[in-house]
Amino acid sequence: MAESPFRERRLSADEVRRVVRRATNLAHRRAPGDVAGEALTVAELEERLMALGISRDVVHSALEERVSAPITPGADGTARVEREIEIVGVLHPEDFEDLAELIGRVVRLPGRASAVGNKLTWTPSGVLTEPTLTVHSKDGVTRVRYVETLINSGQATIGFGVLAGFGGMVAGSMSGVAGVAIAKSLEISKATGGPAVLALSAVIGVVVAVGSFAGLRRAAARRAHSRTLFADEVLNQIGDAVGAAVAARAPKARIAASALTSPAHVAQDEGEQEPAPDSDVERRQQR
């Protein structure tokens, strides 16, 4: 007789979603440039995602082309990365210690954690004070929040301008020295070659300054983008851990899991009848 499919482990819809999300993250981290895979139409992709227990509305939202929200400076001119996710369920304070250790591994920084009631706050230890992660359970929902201050736009503009100006001055001076040396080797008089050398030095200095300023701005923008991606990755991993911890402590989840693996449940799934206990009436009838 073929083995009953009910003996195989069955995953709940929440577990399926977590496995799919973890598999996607792992595939992206291990082979970000790998393009191998099966091409699917939108309808095929929608059908397969719905088969995994993901609702049609969620599928449509995921299929929409979305652009990461730009990092806009706050009222004080400081740009921050702020991300938040929600997990249905309450995280028990007994899980805070393990979660704090996991956050340190995911962020790849040593940190310190403090807990007040149902709220855990994690910050790096040492010189750095951010990123900050808070895990707060309230009204049946656990919120995981990531905050990291990147740079003050006003201070960055001034700092980039000073660095770019200094670089332009150095480049202009060096080009001026080179121009004087070339003019002397060609026996060009100061009256003739001096203005040309000064003009060339000024042009080179301005070009270098403008290029340096633009390069510094692009580097800051790339760092901001990379930090937003890092924040999303951190929240994905921490969210999976929180979801697993919440599910493990949920009484209904434990009862359902034990019921699915109990011998009586397996016997009934295979079409076997569980014998009822003999009553006094049945024993008398048998005699």
Side-chain angles (χ1 to χ4, degrees), residues 29-169:
R29 290 197 296 271
R30 293 179 181 179
D34 188 6
V35 296
E38 180 184 1
L40 299 174
T41 64
V42 172
E44 291 172 341
L45 179 59
E46 178 180 337
E47 180 181 357
R48 296 188 184 189
L49 290 175
M50 291 180 62
L52 294 175
I54 301 174
S55 66
R56 185 183 298 273
D57 293 339
V58 174
V59 174
H60 288 170
S61 298
L63 288 172
E64 293 178 0
E65 183 177 0
R66 293 180 181 268
V67 180
S68 298
I71 301 176
T72 56
D76 57 352
T78 301
R80 294 183 180 87
V81 178
E82 299 186 33
R83 295 289 187 272
E84 183 177 287
I85 59 173
E86 293 183 355
I87 298 97
V88 178
V90 176
L91 182 67
H92 200 278
E94 292 182 1
D95 297 321
F96 283 175
E97 184 176 355
D98 294 336
L99 183 61
E101 294 180 0
L102 176 62
I103 292 175
R105 292 196 299 269
V106 173
V107 180
R108 297 187 288 274
L109 288 173
R112 55 180 179 271
S114 61
V116 178
N118 290 331
K119 184 176 182 180
L120 171 69
T121 302
W122 184 95
T123 56
S125 59
V127 179
L128 297 177
T129 59
E130 290 183 335
T132 300
L133 282 96
T134 56
V135 183
H136 189 197
S137 295
K138 184 178 180 181
D139 299 331
V141 176
T142 301
R143 292 177 175 84
V144 184
R145 183 174 177 81
Y146 178 105
V147 178
E148 181 179 5
T149 302
L150 297 179
I151 197 170
N152 184 284
S153 58
Q155 295 175 355
T157 301
I158 296 174
F160 293 164
V162 171
L163 292 175
F166 180 76
M169 290 175 60

Side-chain angles (χ1 to χ4, degrees), residues 203-224:
V203 170
I204 292 176
V206 171
V207 170
V208 170
V210 173
S212 299
F213 184 81
L216 291 171
R217 293 291 297 271
R218 285 196 298 268
R222 286 195 299 269
R223 180 178 181 274

